[in-house]
Amino acid sequence: MEDQRKQGIVKELKEFLEISKSKWMEDEWGDGGDWFFQFDYEEIEAEVQIVELLLDRALPSWQKGELTDSNSPPFELQRRGCRRAIKWLEKQEMIERLLEPEAPQLSASTLHQWVWDAARSQWASGHFRDAVSAAARVVSNRTQQKVDRRDKSEWNLIQESFSLKHPEERKPRLRLTPDDGGDTFKNLHEGAGFLAQGLFRGIRNPSNHDVLPELTENEALEQLAAFSLLARWIDKAEVVRAV
């Protein structure tokens, strides 16, 4: 419920609490009495239906467990509901924040070692875009080392290394699972290649060719996490060479 609407409901409920105050007064003979109101009873009675509609919207359970008896002052049920609803509306945001599941935290130090070791020094000095670029370079270099190739780099090399084609002379392949010709094998390896293409073309290359604004720390961490995933796949993949 947006703040303006919430504030309007709270205002109406507080006004009802004010006009519906009553006081028990004994009669002059001392053998009975009645409830007396500061405001006109008929005005209060007319407001009750409005208040109940607001309570139904703000706190649907407002009548739950609430009982009154013949000794209770008039409108006591609605007054109790108003007090409960006002407290809820005034503290709703805080309560929902306290009760929501705790969001997982990502620490840069838990990223793949290739990525974080490369990014660490630039990150510490607040050069977040440079930190991501450094991590990308290391992922590329590590791939070159793993497949023992220097003729290609970055996404071109990674995509070719994860190619579904059988290994060729001086063109080994990276394999996350054995080639059984199934959809899982195809999806994993094509996915790894496309991820590499997206990361290098969408993140690494623009930073190389243009002067771009500095990344926020959160944006940079997201990008490092993406390169970390790619690095893990490359690191754990088996190198398969032509026989």
Side-chain angles (χ1 to χ4, degrees):
M1 186 182 299
E2 68 264 24
D3 288 343
Q4 188 173 3
R5 185 182 303 180
K6 187 184 299 185
Q7 291 169 8
I9 293 176
V10 168
K11 180 175 179 291
E12 290 291 329
L13 298 183
K14 285 183 175 180
E15 287 179 357
F16 179 78
L17 285 176
E18 186 61 30
I19 68 171
S20 62
K21 287 179 180 178
S22 60
K23 183 178 181 180
W24 176 262
M25 296 185 66
E26 297 281 350
D27 61 31
E28 57 183 312
W29 299 281
D31 59 355
D34 202 354
W35 293 99
F36 287 85
F37 297 88
Q38 181 180 354
F39 293 85
D40 183 74
Y41 184 87
E42 291 184 357
E43 178 186 351
I44 301 169
E45 198 171 38
E47 286 290 328
V48 166
Q49 59 183 340
I50 298 173
V51 166
E52 290 181 345
L53 286 173
L54 294 176
L55 288 173
D56 288 340
R57 174 63 63 87
L59 189 67
S61 63
W62 67 275
Q63 296 188 67
K64 185 177 181 181
E66 293 288 359
L67 298 174
T68 60
D69 55 38
S70 58
N71 295 321
S72 299
F75 314 114
E76 181 61 16
L77 184 63
Q78 292 83 358
R79 287 175 58 81
R80 290 178 188 173
C82 286
R83 289 191 288 267
R84 291 175 58 197
I86 289 169
K87 183 65 71 173
W88 164 249
L89 291 171
E90 290 179 339
K91 295 194 173 184
Q92 181 181 8
E93 185 177 346
M94 179 199 70
I95 293 169
E96 289 179 344
R97 186 168 61 249
L98 291 174
L99 294 179
E100 70 181 5
E102 187 174 349
Q105 300 281 326
L106 176 63
S107 171
S109 62
T110 64
L111 299 175
H112 192 279
Q113 186 177 355
W114 297 353
V115 168
W116 182 235
D117 284 353
R120 188 194 306 268
S121 61
Q122 296 285 4
W123 191 274
S125 62
H127 295 89
F128 300 125
R129 190 176 291 280
D130 290 342
V132 175
S133 293
R137 285 195 300 272
V138 168
V139 171
S140 175
N141 293 341
R142 288 284 192 165
T143 307
Q144 288 181 317
Q145 294 172 15
K146 182 155 187 166
V147 298
D148 192 23
R149 292 184 63 179
R150 297 295 184 275
D151 57 316
K152 286 190 175 185
S153 64
E154 300 191 349
W155 73 269
N156 292 284
L157 174 62
I158 297 171
Q159 194 166 61
E160 187 171 295
S161 297
F162 280 112
S163 168
L164 302 182
K165 296 179 180 179
H166 294 299
E168 304 171 24
E169 186 67 27
R170 292 187 294 278
K171 291 182 180 180
R173 307 297 182 205
L174 294 175
R175 293 293 178 249
L176 296 166
T177 60
D179 183 358
D180 60 1
D183 287 342
T184 297
F185 171 82
K186 178 180 179 181
N187 290 335
L188 281 173
H189 293 83
E190 286 187 339
F194 289 140
L195 176 62
Q197 182 176 168
L199 292 180
F200 280 94
R201 297 185 72 169
I203 296 175
R204 162 75 167 148
N205 292 351
S207 294
N208 275 354
H209 301 146
D210 297 294
V211 178
L212 300 176
E214 183 57 273
L215 295 170
T216 65
E217 185 172 353
N218 191 68
E219 288 171 332
L221 185 58
E222 290 173 352
Q223 293 183 8
L224 283 181
F227 276 105
S228 176
L229 173 61
L230 180 61
R232 289 189 193 282
W233 286 350
I234 295 168
D235 190 22
K236 78 175 185 179
E238 179 185 357
V239 180
V240 179
R241 304 182 185 278
V243 178

